[in-house]
Amino acid sequence: MSAAAEASKGWSSEAMARRVADDIPDGAYVNLGIGMPERVAQYLPEDREAVFHVENGLLGVGPSPAPGSEDPELINAGKKAITAVAGAAFFHHADSFTMIRGGHIDICVLGAFQVSAAGDLANWSTGEPDAIPAVGGAMDLVAGVRTIFVLTQHTTKTGEPKIVERCEYPLTGLACVDRIYTDLAVIDVTPQGLVVRELAPGISFDEVQQRTGARLVAGASVST
Amino acid sequence: MINKTMDSAAAAVADIGDGATVMIGGFGEAGSPIELIHALIDQGAKNLTVISNNTGSGQVGLAALIRNGRVGKMICSFPRTANSTVFPELYRAGRVELELVPQGTLAERIRAGGAGIPAFFTATAVGTVLEEGKERRSFEGRDYLMETGLRADFSLVKAKKADRYGNLLYSKTARNFGPVMCTAAATTIVQVEELAAAGGIDPEAVVTPGIFVQRVVVVADPAHESQLVKEGRSYP
């Protein structure tokens, strides 16, 4: 198979975001991380209502504003312009992190550099000597939010596994990840190990295992 | 009669001395008290310890304070953003110290400082490099780290509206660190766009009660940091 055909297999980033949105129940309070996780909101099924939280002080994030109507005092954690839905609430930082650290937010969707077999997450620093360390709210989110979803490509741009036995990058938190959504599979972090729950179309369990740096277990509905 | 309003940003920041610890509100440009920061640059205080979520962008506001060599140490959660070059350069050159604090821990340390709580325990950062040097204790089977409260000599905050008592209303996500920073400084200085008549703010809607505010300056039409950066402006 050619490299191009190889790369086109699996879920697109849109399909990945849709797959995460499918797992957000009606009534959930959800924090979406910067980047790809932000896209999840637009794919929430129409029969469900969720309240999206940004740590800089808003519950009830709406769609992106029309060009020209951005408000520099209404932004998300990535400092991009947003809107507020009817029924939204503004609050200060200590209240916002009371929501996060006090276990009031149901689900957080984050990106990752690496996730370990035990569910350790590394997503804030590559640890390079001249990098400017910047952590933001990532460590608070993984310590306090009840369910942590990771949304990431299965491997790095150079094909290195991002799901590994032990993280090499500086950790964001220990044993905090519940479920991993990649372009190849949906994987649960369980006491029995990394359990593959779903495979992307055209992807076999063996292919996912080959591109993973830790041992995988096939879930009941996944054929090996 | 109580009247906390002052005539100018320059007068409001005049007594910030060398070596002072200063909290500066804002999350990115939202809530950054840019006119108060520029007045502080004009005033000349140096060797400041600044507590703020970010380190500013471009060559204005907090970034300009840092670039002018006034800041010896930053306590913040995210010292780089788009258009943020001043802090990274000085940090790599060893000319400014950094204490990196997770954002929720930063907010809670400020809240605790303002509430007279010297220290508390949190699960954030357990098992990470930011645990280094901190006491770990277990409560009901889970591990936590001890974090200390933060206080400052001055807080510089931007709000939307004040009355002469210092009661404050904010604007949308520009509220962010303002309310907790107001509580945690010996002297809190607030710039607002609008001054309400006494009694002109609904007591049910007050976000920061005036007891936490010492000085109010009206800046009717504050600059937007992103606009100044886009125009390539530099302060002074």
Side-chain angles (χ1 to χ4, degrees):
Chain A
M1 187 183 292
S2 74
E6 183 81 12
S8 70
K9 286 168 63 176
W11 280 308
S12 66
S13 54
E14 180 191 320
M16 291 163 67
R18 273 187 199 282
R19 182 62 194 81
V20 176
D22 257 356
D23 282 351
I24 295 175
D26 191 42
Y29 288 88
V30 181
N31 181 292
L32 300 176
I34 295 168
M36 200 152 110
E38 288 173 42
R39 297 179 59 182
V40 170
Q42 63 187 296
Y43 299 117
L44 192 70
E46 280 184 12
D47 60 345
R48 291 182 220 167
E49 186 174 30
V51 180
F52 292 99
H53 171 266
V54 289
E55 54 262 43
N56 53 309
L58 171 63
L59 273 171
V61 179
S64 297
S69 65
E70 298 91 348
D71 180 343
E73 298 194 327
L74 185 48
I75 59 173
N76 67 11
K79 296 167 179 97
K80 282 197 292 205
I82 53 173
T83 58
V85 298
F90 294 114
F91 37 82
H92 63 67
H93 250 79
D95 278 355
S96 185
F97 280 87
T98 291
M99 295 170 195
I100 292 169
R101 291 148 64 110
H104 305 278
I105 305 285
D106 298 304
I107 295 170
C108 178
V109 186
L110 290 168
F113 295 147
Q114 290 176 326
V115 183
S116 83
D120 299 347
L121 174 66
N123 80 342
W124 71 282
S125 167
T126 57
E128 285 161 19
D130 69 336
I132 302 298
V135 66
M139 289 186 183
D140 306 288
L141 286 161
V142 301
V145 174
R146 282 186 238 160
T147 301
I148 302 293
F149 290 164
V150 162
L151 174 59
T152 179
Q153 296 298 319
H154 202 86
T155 58
T156 66
K157 284 177 185 143
T158 55
E160 298 295 314
K162 297 180 90 169
I163 302 169
V164 294
E165 200 53 48
R166 291 177 64 89
C167 296
E168 289 156 19
Y169 292 137
L171 292 182
T172 309
L174 292 169
C176 54
V177 176
D178 295 285
R179 181 168 260 207
I180 309 163
Y181 301 82
T182 77
D183 50 326
L184 305 183
V186 177
I187 301 170
D188 280 341
V189 181
T190 78
Q192 289 74 44
L194 297 170
V195 178
V196 178
R197 298 294 184 198
E198 283 177 47
L199 296 167
I203 300 293
S204 72
F205 178 85
D206 287 346
E207 282 173 278
V208 180
Q209 180 65 77
Q210 276 167 24
R211 295 194 222 169
T212 304
R215 199 177 76 82
L216 299 175
V217 178
S221 60
V222 169
S223 55
T224 53
Chain B
M1 187 182 88
I2 295 172
N3 183 7
K4 297 181 181 178
T5 60
M6 296 186 77
D7 289 339
S8 69
V13 304
D15 58 349
I16 300 179
D18 292 352
T21 296
V22 183
M23 291 180 180
I24 299 182
F27 182 89
E29 72 169 317
S32 182
I34 195 164
E35 281 76 14
L36 291 178
I37 300 169
H38 287 170
L40 182 56
I41 293 172
D42 295 343
Q43 185 257 33
K46 56 186 188 296
N47 196 27
L48 302 171
T49 293
V50 171
I51 301 167
S52 193
N53 190 60
N54 305 105
T55 57
S57 64
Q59 308 282 327
V60 295
L62 179 52
L65 186 71
I66 298 168
R67 183 175 53 95
N68 280 271
R70 308 297 172 75
V71 179
K73 180 179 178 180
M74 279 299 313
I75 299 176
C76 74
S77 89
F78 209 86
R80 58 176 157 79
T81 40
N83 300 317
S84 155
T85 55
V86 167
F87 181 85
E89 280 169 22
L90 292 182
Y91 177 74
R92 288 195 181 101
R95 287 170 56 199
V96 58
E97 196 184 331
L98 170 66
E99 180 178 339
L100 187 71
V101 182
Q103 198 174 137
T105 297
L106 182 63
E108 190 63 15
R109 289 181 69 189
I110 297 166
R111 194 196 73 81
I117 297 168
F120 59 92
F121 284 86
T122 177
T124 297
V126 168
T128 75
V129 295
L130 298 186
E131 177 173 350
E132 201 174 309
K134 289 171 189 162
E135 180 184 341
R136 190 198 277 219
R137 274 177 70 177
S138 184
F139 297 91
E140 296 177 352
R142 189 172 184 193
D143 284 357
Y144 298 82
L145 303 181
M146 191 176 84
E147 297 282 357
T148 54
L150 282 171
R151 290 191 62 86
D153 300 305
F154 294 88
S155 279
L156 307 183
V157 167
K158 181 184 184 187
K160 182 76 174 174
K161 189 191 271 196
D163 61 18
R164 66 178 170 86
Y165 297 102
N167 295 313
L168 303 180
L169 298 177
Y170 296 83
S171 172
K172 308 185 189 80
T173 57
R175 182 181 308 192
N176 57 68
F177 283 90
V180 283
M181 287 184 170
C182 284
T183 69
T187 302
T188 289
I189 306 166
V190 183
Q191 71 168 71
V192 295
E193 291 177 33
E194 195 182 331
L195 191 67
I201 296 178
D202 178 357
E204 294 281 12
V206 169
V207 176
T208 293
I211 191 171
F212 298 124
V213 174
Q214 281 68 48
R215 299 173 191 169
V216 173
V217 180
V218 177
V219 179
D221 190 16
H224 288 298
E225 186 178 290
S226 56
Q227 189 60 36
L228 298 182
V229 171
K230 199 184 290 176
E231 291 166 7
R233 301 273 281 278
S234 176
Y235 196 88

